[in-house]
Amino acid sequence: FWKLDFPHEFKDFQAAIWKGIQPKQKYTYRLNLNSDWREGVDSKLKNILKKKASFNFEVRPFSQEEFDNFSSTLFSKGVRHVELFKKVSTALHENIYIVVGDEGKYKALCLLMNGVAYYIAATNAKENNSLSACGLAHCIVVAEEKGAEIFDFEGSMIPEVERFFRGFGGELTPYFSLEKGKGIFYRLRSFLKK
């Protein structure tokens, strides 16, 4: 099984279609950091973000130890593409920053490339949703400080997560994904997704 997500600018999938691979449209939110993005934040979320001062956030540069801690947390929460994270982190370690909140209860991995900050993954102790909201807001502020022009939430097809990302006021942006696989597990996965 393989899956590739393409940048939102990429629109020509004819070659894949000719080979029998249908692109799937997905969505992300992209926040323009050259404007005052805080004005577009949902009013309920604005109230939650007022609690940001009650949390302690720090930005850590990428290190293998930090990444290993982050990866083990992701793996324990059911994320199974840790090897991909490891490959990306090795190749792009200078462009990665990690935001840690409240002594590790919140962790986010962000990638800064070509003026765009990508919210790659995050973990949260789940006992406090305010921590997630304030942590994500901190990631956006750090992206601004690092000179990013766009903050890309990296999309989600999970309704609750989509609503959460939408609350930050970004622009809904479609992108495409290709996937293909063989064997019973891929067919089962495709069947169960319908």
Side-chain angles (χ1 to χ4, degrees):
F1 170 76
W2 56 265
K3 179 178 152 255
L4 293 172
D5 292 334
F6 287 83
H8 75 281
E9 301 93 354
F10 193 86
K11 307 272 190 244
D12 185 0
F13 291 93
Q14 293 178 95
I17 293 168
W18 295 331
K19 292 190 183 275
I21 303 169
Q22 294 298 317
K24 294 183 180 180
Q25 188 170 24
K26 297 183 176 183
Y27 296 91
T28 186
Y29 284 93
R30 291 171 61 95
L31 196 57
N32 181 351
L33 300 180
N34 292 326
S35 65
D36 188 5
W37 60 270
R38 290 162 189 85
E39 294 298 316
V41 174
D42 176 79
S43 60
K44 289 180 185 176
L45 186 55
K46 279 183 184 176
N47 286 333
I48 292 170
L49 295 179
K50 290 177 184 174
K51 300 176 185 176
K52 189 169 182 267
S54 66
F55 298 111
N56 297 313
F57 292 103
E58 63 177 295
V59 179
R60 297 180 184 168
F62 177 80
S63 71
Q64 192 59 49
E65 180 183 347
E66 194 68 56
F67 182 75
D68 290 344
N69 287 337
F70 190 84
S71 296
S72 65
T73 305
L74 283 176
F75 194 77
S76 72
K77 292 191 180 276
V79 175
R80 298 293 179 237
H81 47 276
V82 173
E83 284 303 311
L84 176 61
F85 280 128
K86 192 174 282 189
K87 288 178 183 177
V88 168
S89 68
T90 301
L92 302 169
H93 68 276
E94 293 174 358
N95 298 46
I96 295 173
Y97 63 95
I98 296 174
V99 172
V100 178
D102 272 18
E103 299 171 4
K105 290 181 184 172
Y106 173 86
K107 293 180 184 175
L109 183 78
C110 299
L111 172 67
L112 183 60
M113 283 181 47
N114 302 322
V116 179
Y118 297 92
Y119 188 65
I120 301 296
T123 65
N124 180 10
K126 291 293 177 208
E127 64 225 24
N128 190 336
N129 287 332
S130 298
L131 180 59
S132 284
C134 295
L136 179 49
H138 194 77
C139 291
I140 296 169
V141 169
V142 171
E144 278 182 308
E145 291 169 355
K146 290 183 173 284
E149 296 177 6
I150 301 287
F151 189 89
D152 190 321
F153 291 86
E154 273 299 292
S156 178
M157 298 308 279
I158 301 168
E160 296 81 13
V161 175
E162 185 276 336
R163 277 191 296 278
F164 174 62
F165 287 168
R166 183 180 350 133
F168 282 89
E171 181 181 337
L172 183 64
T173 307
Y175 69 96
F176 290 93
S177 181
L178 296 177
E179 64 179 53
K180 187 149 176 91
K182 293 182 181 180
I184 187 70
F185 291 113
Y186 178 74
R187 287 195 298 275
L188 259 173
R189 181 180 178 277
S190 298
F191 176 76
L192 292 173
K193 282 183 129 180
K194 291 180 181 181

